[in-house]
Amino acid sequence: MRFPHAIIGAAAVALLLSGCTSGSSGDATGPINLPEDPASVTGDISYAIWDVNQQPAMEKLIADFNTTYPNVDVSVELTAFPQYFTKLQTQGSSGTLPDVFWMNGPNLQLFASNDMLAPLEPFEDADLFDPSNYPSAMNDIYTYDGTQYGVPKDFDTIALFYNKAILARAGVEAPTADWTWDDYHAAAKKISDTLGGEGIIGSGDSTRNQENVYPAVLSNGGTIIDGDKSGYDSPEAVEALQFWADMVADGSSLTPAANADTEGFDRFLNGQVGLVWGGNWRVSGVLESAVAADVSVAELPLAPTGERKTVIHGVANAMSAHSDNPEAAQAFLSYLGSEEAALIQAEAGAANPAFNGTQQDFVDSAPGMNLQVFEDAATDYAEAYPVSKNTGAWNKVELDLLPQAFSGERPVADVAKDLADQMNEALAKEK
Amino acid sequence: MSETIERAGSGMQAAQAPAPGGGGATRLARKRHSPDGWWPALFILPLAAGIGLFYLWPLLQSVYYSFTEWGVFGGSTWTGVENYVRLMQDPDVLRAIVNTLVYTGILLVGIPIAVVFAALLNRPGLRFAMIYRTCFFLPYIAMPTAISMVWRIIYNNDYGVINSTLRVVGIEGPAWISTEWFSLVAVAIVGLWMSIGFNMIILSAGLKGIPPELYEASAIDGAGKGRQFRSITVPLLTPSIFFLSVMTFIAGFQLFDMLYALLGPTNPVMPKTQSLVFLFYDAAFGANEKGYASAIGVLILLIIGLFTLVQFRLQRRWVHYAD
Amino acid sequence: MPINNMQTRNARGGSIAGHNRGAHVVLIIGSLLMIFPFLWQVKMSISTEADIMSIPPTLWPSSFEWNNFAEVFTRVPFLSQFWVSLAVTVLRTLAQLILCSMAGYAFARMHFRFKGILLAVLLSILMVPTQVYLIPQYQIVQSVGLLDTIAGIAAPGLFSAFGTFLMMQFFKAMPAELEQAARLDGCNSWQIFTRVMMPLAKPGLISLAIITVLASWNDLLWPLVVASSPDNMPLSVGLATLQGYQGSVDTGVLMAASLMAMAPILIVFVALQRRVVEGIAFAGLK
């Protein structure tokens, strides 16, 4: 094909322009020497987040940061979660990432392995960051190739939410720490059978990865990723998936289709569900709902192995490796990792802070709800949320295949085998 | 407009043939004989510069990257036709093509519906025409982000208006947004709803161009309203209908936003409902396989190009031009 | 014209009214189907979350949450985002009106080499999913330092392949005699374009303007990626930030915000309807 000179010319200009995109002035990887006088740190930095509900708390943090660093202007950049990482990738491909931004587990390795994030070693060397302040599983999630890249901001674990009023009406005892999967199933079944006529269903478990599938598989002694292989085709994992499929099959829990219509946890908030596994980020929604007074939290039931496990995940703050104002960004990131910042966050009720020993405000935010369960889970039986270098690739496979197992469309073992094969394929591509 | 695309269509054929103008001597001669001299360049250059920079260059880049494995943050390795081989073996692609065609097919139904409404709206002496027109035009100006949320709630199986109403008369409606095929129909209904007003306004103009004498003459011949509609209105509207069908096709193949917003990316029915552009977006920004995504983009271009070409070839058989 | 209309209507009075009764029935049903989602949206915008999700749905809110509208102003900087939307829309519309009509005129009335290829290229650009252009366009806008600016948001939309086709087709339909006469008077091509053709192209320009205004006002992904600070986002993006995370969305506020974002376009449309309808109708003329 031949093109007129004008277009070739324009294309050449574009080539030239886009050729020089990744160059950036910041030195974000060398030793850190923040000046003695905080007032001498100046300039503008940006802080990208995705949750509109946490924005006020983030503004409070910035205000507090400015009491020490009065001459740094931090602007919050809010992008809703569905587009957050699309935007971050686009920015990353041009070397224009925000100076400091929220990171999650599934995306950490992707950004870290492409040299997008500032490593935290220099912070440690300068006594600006200490990993022992955070749950070790959280540090693991944000470590790639032996180097940590994210300062844990908050953490979440999974526990069992239940609606006392619904349980009482169905004649079901409140769950205890001794409940097994069988007890859980029987209780859910009894609620569905007794109150089904009113549109109430026993369990609102939406067979989501983080809240249902991962905790069940791990509790049963299985794995999601084992080294560079999928763990889904192990007998332990298949048994765990079967547990959910059985729950769906006899009407104890919602079908995947019903979940797509109205998510299980939303039904719980509407008083249409008695039991549901959920993360602690759900608590603020519960407190605002009409069922707030009836809700309490218990440990997850024990798997047939006699064990219980939860995944632990949380958001971390990360700094761009190409920040134009590394000094200010370093100062801000260090501040975000401090106990002071964690306490402000907890007080604002925005999230359950990751800094060890700062969670009391969160636990106290709902005194009758027994929120200590989430904190104990983190210390006693939590495992790191499974991630790899390109988590998105196999998350899509899970999303495509798992509903087929839960809906009864295909035998669980077949789906698990398919899932493991396709996941292994995706994992092999990461090398 | 249809004429426009016809020209463009022939241009497309030209693009596949060797460039016109052959050797240097003839080219020079042509230039001298051209009455317009440098004027065309002056008129086109400002636009061409922008189109070249913001659209053509990215398009060419994308075609190049479709033959590579393209890193998330830049850097690519040449892999030849590997992405295209994978494309042909990917069962998701075939399903996405079928879904996209079904969706487009349903959107096309909007054209005859719009013909009927437009014909009614253009009756002489019709009162409240302005109010009706505003109603029909409203969906076209709706903000997709918000209106898809409204529809999601309308379609809801538990508290949605549609199924609640059906329940009152004793019918258990399908779970619209989570049942295979129904979910696609649900998305297409919203697409249809958004396009009808636009279709109608375009058709209204076509209707205004039909000389009233034709109706008077046929009335004298004893033709009824229905007969007139079939033998005068529809044939004389065919150029507008043709324009709409070409545009509907292009729009139908761009299905993404509504699908994403209405069904939600984690909907279990999504693997069976996804469109080609959804696959593209998912490969590019979900699975971070931008090279493969580029190949899907090229496939979309080829399919629409092919269908557009076929439409132009077939138009002689059914489109009536006044002159 | 309205008076004339009335007279004809009155003269033929009863028969036409009776005659159109069927048409009114069909049009009213159609109109209701068209506006129902908006009525539902209005209802939700003044409802509580519990009302929105009540089973069965209620036709009338149990309490009126007018607060949702006030709440929008505290969640997003509505006025500055309105200004960004307006500025981007005006810039894009003006640029397209000028650039697309110039190029469209050349394609319609001038002879030059590679016209066929250029047209094919323009058409191909329409056929590719717009997301394909996202990263390259971003890199271009970034390299000229226009990220997070109104100019950067507007930039790619200043140029349009669709608009060029539309204008080309319009100029093609215009009689050639006018041009020849002007040429005999000694006008050059530029003078013919500006003095003879553009004034006659008004309906085409209106239709292009409407299409551009709507596309620009509702554009989401591109401005979302380019604009970072809340004050530099257009309304469509500001609205998207209200979506919340994992079900923590406040539906009523989102509905109120989107109604507020739509309102300016609706008001303009109703006010200018006659011209708008004529203008947009042109897109369908062959």
Side-chain angles (χ1 to χ4, degrees):
Chain A
M1 254 187 161
R2 293 158 67 182
F3 295 94
H5 298 301
I7 290 181
I8 293 173
V13 170
L15 181 62
L16 274 173
L17 293 174
S18 60
C20 50
T21 47
S22 52
S24 227
S25 58
D27 174 23
T29 49
I32 298 176
N33 279 310
L34 287 181
E36 292 282 318
D37 176 19
S40 69
V41 181
T42 57
D44 300 343
I45 53 171
S46 49
Y47 181 35
I49 67 171
W50 65 68
D51 187 354
V52 66
N53 296 320
Q54 291 197 41
Q55 191 171 7
M58 298 304 112
E59 308 277 10
K60 269 185 203 156
L61 290 178
I62 292 168
D64 187 50
F65 170 69
N66 282 145
T67 58
T68 320
Y69 288 92
N71 300 320
V72 177
D73 192 4
V74 186
S75 55
V76 173
E77 297 184 353
L78 172 67
T79 308
F81 190 74
Q83 294 100 11
Y84 182 83
F85 282 100
T86 299
K87 181 169 180 173
L88 219 54
Q89 278 187 23
T90 308
Q91 292 171 326
S93 66
S94 293
T96 53
L97 283 171
D99 298 289
V100 180
F101 48 93
W102 285 10
M103 183 38 65
N104 69 3
N107 282 284
L108 183 273
Q109 298 190 17
L110 185 72
F111 280 76
S113 65
N114 283 287
D115 301 325
M116 292 288 142
L117 307 178
L120 296 184
E121 271 156 12
F123 288 79
E124 262 184 271
D125 296 342
D127 284 331
L128 295 167
F129 168 72
D130 181 0
S132 66
N133 287 333
Y134 314 95
S136 62
M138 284 295 296
N139 293 324
D140 292 347
I141 293 174
Y142 290 100
T143 298
Y144 170 70
D145 226 5
T147 306
Q148 187 162 352
Y149 292 91
V151 179
K153 169 188 168 293
D154 54 47
F155 76 77
D156 43 67
T157 55
I158 312 301
L160 170 57
F161 288 81
Y162 60 97
N163 183 318
K164 287 177 270 191
I166 292 180
L167 263 58
R169 283 174 56 211
V172 173
E173 300 270 323
T176 66
D178 300 327
W179 264 28
T180 62
W181 284 4
D182 286 341
D183 295 329
Y184 182 72
H185 192 158
K189 180 96 173 60
K190 194 167 175 192
I191 298 170
S192 288
D193 290 349
T194 323
L195 304 173
E198 300 171 34
I200 292 175
I201 195 159
S203 124
D205 292 304
S206 47
T207 47
R208 297 166 68 106
N209 291 349
Q210 191 178 354
E211 291 171 289
N212 297 118
V213 176
Y214 295 170
V217 170
L218 296 176
S219 293
N220 206 35
T223 54
I224 305 301
I225 304 185
D226 188 8
D228 52 3
K229 286 276 175 240
S230 166
Y232 272 114
D233 51 357
S234 72
E236 294 84 6
V238 172
E239 194 185 5
L241 299 179
Q242 189 67 52
F243 163 63
W244 288 123
D246 291 345
M247 293 272 297
V248 173
D250 67 3
S252 303
S253 185
L254 290 163
T255 62
N259 261 307
D261 238 329
T262 312
E263 218 241 303
F265 210 92
D266 289 335
R267 293 172 192 258
F268 182 76
L269 298 181
N270 285 343
Q272 296 155 2
V273 148
L275 303 156
V276 63
W277 296 18
N280 51 357
W281 67 88
R282 305 283 194 179
V283 170
S284 58
V286 172
L287 291 174
E288 285 167 19
S289 75
V291 296
D294 295 326
V295 174
S296 192
V297 174
E299 288 87 352
L300 293 179
L302 297 163
T305 55
E307 289 281 322
R308 90 174 103 242
K309 286 268 158 58
T310 171
V311 281
I312 180 167
H313 179 258
V315 176
N317 288 300
M319 179 184 147
S320 165
H322 309 287
S323 171
D324 286 334
N325 191 351
E327 210 172 62
Q330 283 156 351
F332 187 54
L333 185 66
S334 308
Y335 167 77
L336 290 174
S338 69
E339 184 170 12
E340 198 185 344
L343 287 168
I344 290 177
Q345 225 194 141
E347 201 184 328
N352 178 44
F355 198 100
N356 288 333
T358 59
Q359 291 89 9
Q360 200 52 45
D361 273 325
F362 173 77
V363 174
D364 293 344
S365 68
M369 231 186 253
N370 194 20
L371 296 181
Q372 187 60 36
V373 169
F374 291 106
E375 315 303 341
D376 294 344
T379 43
D380 299 345
Y381 52 90
E383 284 189 22
Y385 184 89
V387 293
S388 71
K389 206 162 142 189
N390 190 359
T391 316
W394 54 267
N395 277 170
K396 177 170 166 51
V397 181
E398 291 178 318
L399 208 60
D400 283 359
L401 291 177
L402 282 174
Q404 298 179 5
F406 301 136
S407 65
E409 195 181 324
R410 291 171 61 200
V412 171
D414 289 7
V415 176
K417 180 82 182 57
D418 262 14
L419 174 53
D421 289 348
Q422 292 188 32
M423 195 170 147
N424 284 333
E425 227 174 276
L427 287 169
K429 275 191 207 153
E430 292 180 2
K431 295 297 140 223
Chain B
M1 187 67 193
S2 47
E3 217 177 319
T4 301
I5 294 175
E6 186 174 26
R7 274 306 180 92
S10 57
M12 234 154 78
Q13 292 154 13
Q16 283 148 10
T26 27
R27 219 181 290 157
L28 264 181
R30 272 195 181 196
K31 200 189 262 175
R32 253 182 229 134
H33 284 220
S34 164
D36 297 311
W38 287 99
W39 285 112
L42 287 176
F43 273 81
I44 291 175
L45 214 60
L47 180 96
I51 293 276
L53 183 65
F54 284 110
Y55 298 92
L56 182 59
W57 171 242
L59 179 57
L60 295 177
Q61 265 185 317
S62 196
V63 172
Y64 168 77
Y65 283 127
S66 73
F67 295 100
T68 69
E69 203 181 295
W70 182 12
V72 181
F73 300 100
S76 57
T77 342
W78 184 264
T79 54
V81 293
E82 201 176 282
N83 288 326
Y84 289 93
V85 172
R86 185 176 154 201
L87 203 60
M88 276 183 277
Q89 293 163 343
D90 190 341
D92 282 353
V93 170
L94 192 64
R95 185 60 195 259
I97 292 175
V98 172
N99 287 337
T100 309
L101 284 172
V102 170
Y103 173 79
T104 309
I106 295 174
L107 277 199
L108 287 170
V109 175
I111 299 176
I113 294 175
V115 170
V116 172
F117 280 125
L120 292 176
L121 199 54
N122 277 274
R123 289 207 173 175
L126 186 86
R127 281 160 178 257
F128 313 122
M130 283 301 195
I131 295 173
Y132 292 135
R133 210 173 274 135
T134 306
C135 289
F136 281 96
F137 194 63
L138 256 177
Y140 179 56
I141 65 172
M143 265 198 176
T145 326
I147 209 68
S148 56
M149 201 157 180
V150 176
W151 275 98
R152 206 181 139 83
I153 290 169
I154 290 176
Y155 279 132
N156 188 285
N157 197 17
D158 301 300
Y159 52 83
V161 184
I162 298 177
N163 283 0
S164 299
T165 311
L166 288 175
R167 226 163 267 148
V168 171
V169 294
I171 301 169
E172 192 55 42
W176 288 93
I177 57 173
S178 55
T179 311
E180 192 178 356
W181 297 117
F182 281 103
S183 56
L184 191 59
V185 172
V187 176
I189 286 174
V190 180
L192 194 69
W193 173 77
M194 287 187 97
S195 67
I196 269 183
F198 182 71
N199 290 355
M200 271 182 61
I201 287 163
I202 283 171
L203 291 164
S204 297
L207 284 168
K208 284 190 182 126
I210 300 175
E213 303 86 58
L214 285 177
Y215 290 105
E216 285 158 22
S218 78
I220 291 167
D221 290 345
K225 285 277 165 201
R227 171 98 188 270
Q228 284 185 342
F229 180 72
R230 269 176 281 123
S231 61
I232 301 174
T233 312
V234 173
L236 291 181
L237 274 182
T238 48
S240 302
I241 294 174
F242 175 73
F243 162 77
L244 283 177
S245 72
V246 171
M247 281 299 145
T248 303
F249 230 94
I250 292 182
F253 262 77
Q254 307 288 336
L255 168 65
F256 172 72
D257 290 346
M258 204 42 87
L259 187 68
Y260 191 93
L262 206 57
L263 301 190
T266 60
N267 193 320
V269 85
M270 194 54 101
K272 292 161 186 156
T273 316
Q274 60 197 354
S275 66
L276 279 169
V277 177
F278 189 90
L279 274 192
F280 165 86
Y281 188 83
D282 221 34
F285 297 105
N288 303 312
E289 298 179 305
K290 295 202 163 49
Y292 186 54
S294 298
I296 298 173
V298 172
L299 178 74
I300 295 170
L301 169 65
L302 291 177
I303 295 178
I304 306 181
L306 186 74
F307 272 99
T308 309
L309 210 62
V310 168
Q311 280 179 296
F312 280 104
R313 283 287 157 81
L314 290 180
Q315 67 162 321
R316 267 164 239 145
R317 304 205 184 151
W318 64 278
V319 180
H320 303 259
Y321 289 102
D323 38 316
Chain C
M1 146 96 173
I3 295 170
N4 265 346
N5 243 0
M6 290 299 274
Q7 283 171 344
T8 344
R9 204 178 289 151
N10 288 342
R12 291 196 256 164
S15 78
I16 285 197
H19 185 76
N20 281 341
R21 197 166 292 146
H24 280 294
V25 170
V26 176
L27 285 169
I28 287 170
I29 293 172
S31 299
L32 285 177
L33 287 174
M34 288 290 130
I35 60 167
F36 177 75
F38 293 101
L39 299 178
W40 207 248
Q41 186 181 6
V42 170
K43 190 215 109 178
M44 289 198 289
S45 73
I46 48 172
S47 296
T48 59
E49 207 69 16
D51 262 359
I52 290 170
M53 295 214 266
S54 74
I55 304 174
T58 51
L59 285 175
W60 203 250
S62 61
S63 66
F64 290 90
E65 299 290 313
W66 295 108
N67 234 352
N68 286 341
F69 285 87
E71 184 74 18
V72 173
F73 287 100
T74 67
R75 299 275 184 100
V76 293
F78 192 87
L79 289 177
S80 41
Q81 294 187 351
F82 175 83
W83 159 246
V84 174
S85 279
L86 189 69
V88 169
T89 301
V90 168
L91 277 177
R92 284 187 171 186
T93 308
L94 285 179
Q96 285 199 24
L97 288 179
I98 297 166
L99 299 179
C100 295
S101 53
M102 277 169 63
Y105 176 68
F107 276 116
R109 288 305 174 89
M110 294 178 182
H111 304 276
F112 52 95
R113 285 186 298 154
F114 305 128
K115 196 156 130 181
I117 293 182
L118 283 174
L119 280 172
V121 166
L122 275 181
L123 202 66
S124 330
I125 282 165
L126 285 177
M127 293 175 182
V128 177
T130 49
Q131 293 86 349
V132 164
Y133 304 119
L134 185 67
I135 291 181
Q137 287 181 349
Y138 181 88
Q139 291 174 337
I140 293 164
V141 168
Q142 184 264 330
S143 61
V144 292
L146 288 179
L147 288 182
D148 207 22
T149 62
I150 286 172
I153 298 171
L158 302 178
F159 313 95
S160 162
F162 176 83
T164 308
F165 278 118
L166 195 68
M167 292 316 294
M168 173 178 106
Q169 108 83 21
F170 183 80
F171 286 118
K172 271 183 159 175
M174 284 169 45
E177 296 82 45
L178 286 168
E179 254 176 311
Q180 284 155 5
R183 212 171 278 281
L184 287 177
D185 282 351
C187 291
N188 64 27
S189 295
W190 181 252
Q191 289 164 328
I192 293 173
F193 174 69
T194 52
R195 294 185 196 165
V196 181
M197 301 308 263
M198 281 302 261
L200 291 171
K202 215 180 248 171
L205 294 171
I206 290 176
S207 87
L208 177 59
I210 292 156
I211 291 168
T212 311
V213 165
L214 285 173
S216 175
W217 196 264
N218 288 339
D219 196 7
L220 177 64
L221 191 60
W222 169 253
L224 181 139
V225 168
V226 176
S228 310
S229 35
D231 285 333
N232 291 338
M233 290 173 180
L235 281 172
S236 55
V237 179
L239 209 65
T241 60
L242 291 177
Q243 279 172 47
Y245 178 56
Q246 287 209 342
S248 61
V249 60
D250 200 333
T251 315
V253 176
L254 187 71
M255 291 303 144
S258 75
L259 284 173
M260 286 162 65
M262 247 178 74
I265 298 279
L266 182 63
I267 291 166
V268 170
F269 176 78
V270 171
L272 302 176
Q273 203 196 96
R274 198 177 299 271
R275 296 183 106 183
V276 161
V277 167
E278 279 161 9
I280 205 159
F282 163 71
L285 292 175
K286 65 168 190 83

